[in-house]
Amino acid sequence: MKKDEEMLNWVSQYLKNLRKAKGWTLEECEQHGWHDWKYLQKIENGQNITLLTFFKLCDLYGVDLRLALEKTSSKRREEKRREEKRREEKRREEKRREEKRRDP
């Protein structure tokens, strides 16, 4: 899975968790001001959304936008750190293999 898809899936899951924390079904979101539960279902299943839609959903769920953005950006930073660590481990392994080839 591509990094962008992973991040989109994480944001989708984050939004789904916010809804569930309110105790709302998809359909009940319409009763609280969301215009179309089927669209929300697509978002929660990974459909790309605009930043404005993200803002609106945070408002619907009563989540501070700064907190939501911090959580999503911290997730991205965490993913980058993991990727850097994997690359570094791969470089070290390649270096060990090269050293073994030189010194039988």
Side-chain angles (χ1 to χ4, degrees), residues 2 12 26 31 36 101-102:
K2 295 179 183 178
S12 298
L26 287 165
Q31 297 169 4
D36 183 3
R101 279 186 237 142
R102 282 191 240 140

Side-chain angles (χ1 to χ4, degrees), residues 38-86:
K38 289 181 182 179
Y39 178 55
L40 183 54
Q41 182 179 44
K42 289 178 183 179
I43 290 169
E44 290 183 0
N45 286 326
Q47 177 177 315
N48 202 354
I49 61 173
T50 65
L51 191 55
L52 182 58
T53 300
F54 183 77
F55 293 169
K56 287 178 180 181
L57 285 169
C58 287
D59 186 51
L60 177 71
Y61 299 139
V63 174
D64 182 83
L65 183 58
R66 289 175 291 184
L67 175 63
L69 290 172
E70 177 58 33
K71 284 190 178 256
T72 56
S73 64
S74 66
K75 177 66 174 177
R76 183 70 175 151
R77 286 191 303 270
E78 179 183 316
E79 291 295 325
K80 284 183 178 182
R81 281 193 295 270
R82 281 193 211 143
E83 182 61 30
E84 288 173 13
K85 186 176 180 180
R86 282 190 289 263

